[in-house]
Amino acid sequence: MNFDLALLSENLIKMNISVSREQIEALDRFAAMLIERNRSVNLTAVTDARGIAVKHFADSLSAMTVCDFVPGTGVLDIGTGAGFPGMPLLIANPGIKMTFLDSVGKKLDFISACLDELSLEGEIINTRAETLARDAGYRDSFDIVVSRAVADMSRLCEYALPLVKPGGVFIAMKGAQGSEELEEALRAVSLLGAEVCEDRKISLTDGERHLAVI
């Protein structure tokens, strides 16, 4: 196993999230590919078994505590990098329509290889978030937009909210200072015609996270 399964299970139980044996196996194959590709391409600084379990997998799947990723849901992962949170969310919810957005082509090449290896479907877009936000073909088109560790909350809202369907949600995945960031972004949220639904605090074994649901 390329990640600490017991540690992941501990965190998923705390969040009341369940995954199947097949999904665990897919996560392990994804972790193996991440470790291998990271030897030649700088994808992530976290490649140890505990870090992959918590910082990559549990953290990514925490979005499932605030939204139902039902089959057919259109999801956009802004600044996906090596596929977080998008790839774990797609593995756990293979019926969603996942779009991976990043400006770094080498990272998207890795995601494309993972999709092929795991027999998953997803759209890959190689551009910057602010560019996509101005594209009429993608504005107001996603049910759920997620983003993790990309930019400050105000800028994230400017990138993400134009891409969310009316009635859809943006989940900004932040660390322990998430509430403070959200407070500073309230004016931007209002100007963009949105409202904060929830600031969910998540306690993982390596620290606190905040999910701002807008």
Side-chain angles (χ1 to χ4, degrees):
M1 190 68 66
N2 294 282
F3 66 93
D4 190 324
L5 177 56
L7 192 57
L8 176 61
S9 299
E10 175 186 333
N11 282 278
L12 293 185
I13 288 170
K14 287 196 297 183
M15 294 187 289
N16 197 30
I17 294 172
S18 61
V19 291
S20 69
R21 181 184 297 275
E22 291 77 12
Q23 288 163 348
I24 289 292
E25 292 173 354
L27 286 170
D28 187 43
R29 288 161 65 193
F30 174 47
M33 293 184 71
L34 179 70
I35 293 166
E36 176 61 31
R37 183 67 65 90
N38 203 63
R39 295 190 177 106
S40 57
V41 178
N42 183 24
L43 297 173
T44 176
V46 178
T47 56
D48 62 287
R50 291 178 61 85
I52 292 174
V54 181
K55 295 182 185 298
H56 287 331
F57 291 169
D59 188 50
S60 294
L61 295 174
S62 69
M64 294 169 63
T65 66
V66 293
C67 273
D68 292 327
F69 290 79
V70 298
T73 300
V75 184
L76 171 67
D77 179 5
I78 289 180
T80 186
F84 302 109
M87 189 63 74
L89 287 171
L90 180 57
I91 289 171
N93 305 275
I96 63 177
K97 297 178 180 178
M98 177 64 75
T99 299
F100 299 91
L101 171 67
D102 205 275
S103 62
V104 182
K106 290 182 179 180
K107 293 181 178 181
L108 294 175
D109 289 343
F110 167 70
I111 292 172
S112 179
C114 290
L115 292 173
D116 289 343
E117 170 67 21
L118 300 174
S119 300
L120 293 171
E121 294 185 6
E123 182 180 7
I124 292 173
I125 302 177
N126 186 189
T127 191
R128 299 182 67 84
E130 55 267 41
T131 302
L132 194 69
R134 295 192 295 268
D135 188 326
Y138 286 96
R139 289 180 71 90
D140 303 324
S141 62
F142 294 96
D143 300 295
I144 302 173
V145 175
V146 294
S147 187
R148 190 185 80 148
V150 171
D152 66 81
M153 191 79 80
S154 293
R155 277 193 296 159
L156 266 180
C157 289
E158 292 175 9
Y159 299 159
L161 290 174
L163 297 161
V164 180
K165 280 182 180 178
V169 297
F170 167 44
I171 307 172
M173 307 178 73
K174 291 289 184 176
Q177 305 304 314
S179 292
E180 288 84 348
E181 282 197 53
L182 181 59
E183 185 69 26
E184 294 171 358
L186 289 178
R187 184 171 182 274
V189 171
S190 178
L191 288 172
L192 289 160
E195 62 181 5
V196 178
C197 300
E198 183 178 4
D199 177 15
R200 174 73 64 90
K201 183 171 76 173
I202 301 290
S203 295
L204 300 180
T205 50
D206 69 343
E208 184 178 296
R209 308 288 201 280
H210 283 262
L211 304 180
V213 185
I214 301 171

